[in-house]
Amino acid sequence: MSRRDRDDEGRARNARPRDGLGRPLPYGSDGVERQPEGIVRAPAQTLAEAQRLLDDGKPFHAHEVFEDAWKSTDGPDRELWRGLAQLAVGLTHAARGNNVGAASLLERGAANIEPFRAEPPHGIDVAGLQQWALELAEEAKQRVRVSPSAPRLTC
């Protein structure tokens, strides 16, 4: 039986290095530095950091930033951050060539940000993100190998 990697608090954490799309690499490989977990940021900081990561071709890492916001928010924006995290995971699947996973997560993320469409918070282009996500999901459903570009999060 193998021992599980643990963090400083004893929680199970996979310490294997990862590539730019979050895929595990063999131990000892040179990987891409992972995002620190549990960082509480202001909404503008979350959006700026996630946009930087998306622009750098790291949607998996952007998902982790959105996940921090989702997990640290109790208010009405909680579902917004969850939806944005799902969009980033959908983009990750698209970049990895997993068209089924991409379509599923992109559609789910677009649906979860729908309640914010009428009054988009934090300058987020909700309508534009939904359109982008649903178009990319449709491409994925048609089994077209896509090379997605990073979406613009704000207007």
Side-chain angles (χ1 to χ4, degrees):
M1 187 164 115
S2 64
R3 295 186 51 187
R4 294 182 77 182
D5 298 327
R6 303 266 174 200
D7 66 12
D8 293 339
E9 283 128 24
R11 291 182 298 227
R13 296 275 186 231
N14 190 325
R16 286 174 57 185
R18 294 186 178 261
D19 71 7
L21 293 175
R23 293 176 288 219
L25 299 169
Y27 285 104
S29 298
D30 289 332
V32 173
E33 186 173 340
R34 296 177 75 172
Q35 285 298 116
E37 292 183 37
I39 305 294
V40 178
R41 299 172 181 87
Q45 293 171 313
T46 295
L47 291 168
E49 179 65 6
Q51 186 69 66
R52 182 187 69 75
L53 292 163
L54 289 167
D55 291 344
D56 287 348
K58 298 177 182 172
F60 177 81
H61 296 79
H63 137 265
E64 291 179 329
V65 171
F66 287 133
E67 191 172 75
D68 282 343
W70 166 34
K71 290 180 177 181
S72 66
T73 302
D74 290 330
D77 284 356
R78 185 172 170 84
E79 290 304 304
L80 171 73
W81 299 121
R82 182 170 79 129
L84 292 173
Q86 290 168 328
L87 293 178
V89 173
L91 185 56
T92 301
H93 283 298
R96 290 176 177 176
N98 175 0
N99 293 317
V100 172
S104 175
L105 268 296
L106 289 164
E107 289 174 340
R108 194 176 319 152
N112 281 329
I113 64 173
E114 173 64 32
F116 302 93
R117 187 178 179 117
E119 295 181 37
H122 316 297
I124 296 171
D125 182 9
V126 173
L129 283 172
Q130 286 183 302
Q131 180 179 348
W132 162 84
L134 295 175
E135 287 172 2
L136 188 57
E138 190 56 39
E139 288 178 32
K141 284 181 181 178
Q142 294 174 21
R143 301 199 184 276
V144 174
R145 173 89 183 181
V146 294
S147 296
S149 59
R152 298 301 319 158
L153 297 171
T154 56
C155 300

